[in-house]
Amino acid sequence: MSRVLAGGLCGVLFGIGLALAQMIDPNKVLAFLDLAGAWDPSLILVMGGGAGVTAALFPWVLRRSRPRLDDRFHLPVKRQVDGQLLSGAALFGIGWGLAGYCPGPALVALTLGTLEPWLFVAAMIAGSLACKVWLDSGA
């Protein structure tokens, strides 16, 4: 139960951070991605802050033999960049650029009471399920 509670609290904290940084506003994100237009670089501070905290604290966390609430760390084991990874990254970027949402901010934006994040999350779930079916088919 403490693991679920800790996960929930971390999710709420992350969501508050996304809301404070305005990453749940698609117009803010699209302005950040619009390098040739009215570019808004303010999200660099958000991303730099996240990357900085990760770079500073991950080595300290990984010195432990295991996480506090699990029996092992669940880190990526795949070390090579392949076509599947590049295709997924490209599709993620295209979707982010078209909609102005990525998954975390879209989930937080569900609390705003507008239709767009609900449509995005529905499309995200449908795309995830379609991808799973496609990968499970061995195609």
Side-chain angles (χ1 to χ4, degrees), residues 47-120:
M47 295 178 187
V53 168
T54 300
L57 296 182
F58 242 57
W60 176 72
V61 169
L62 294 177
R63 273 191 257 149
R64 300 179 53 89
S65 61
R66 64 180 193 83
R68 286 189 186 271
L69 300 176
D70 205 345
D71 58 353
R72 65 181 178 91
F73 289 103
H74 298 273
L75 300 172
V77 293
K78 190 174 181 179
R79 298 285 180 210
Q80 66 186 28
V81 177
D82 59 11
Q84 190 177 18
L85 176 65
L86 292 174
S87 299
L91 286 172
F92 180 90
I94 290 168
W96 195 29
L98 288 174
Y101 287 116
C102 64
L107 292 174
V108 176
L110 293 176
T111 63
L112 298 177
T114 58
L115 180 62
E116 291 84 9
W118 288 95
L119 294 173
F120 179 87

Side-chain angles (χ1 to χ4, degrees), residues 11-36:
V12 169
L13 181 62
F14 183 62
I16 290 170
L18 292 172
L20 287 174
Q22 300 178 11
M23 288 193 72
I24 62 172
D25 179 358
N27 294 320
K28 182 84 171 173
V29 173
L30 292 174
F32 173 72
L33 298 173
D34 187 10
L35 298 176

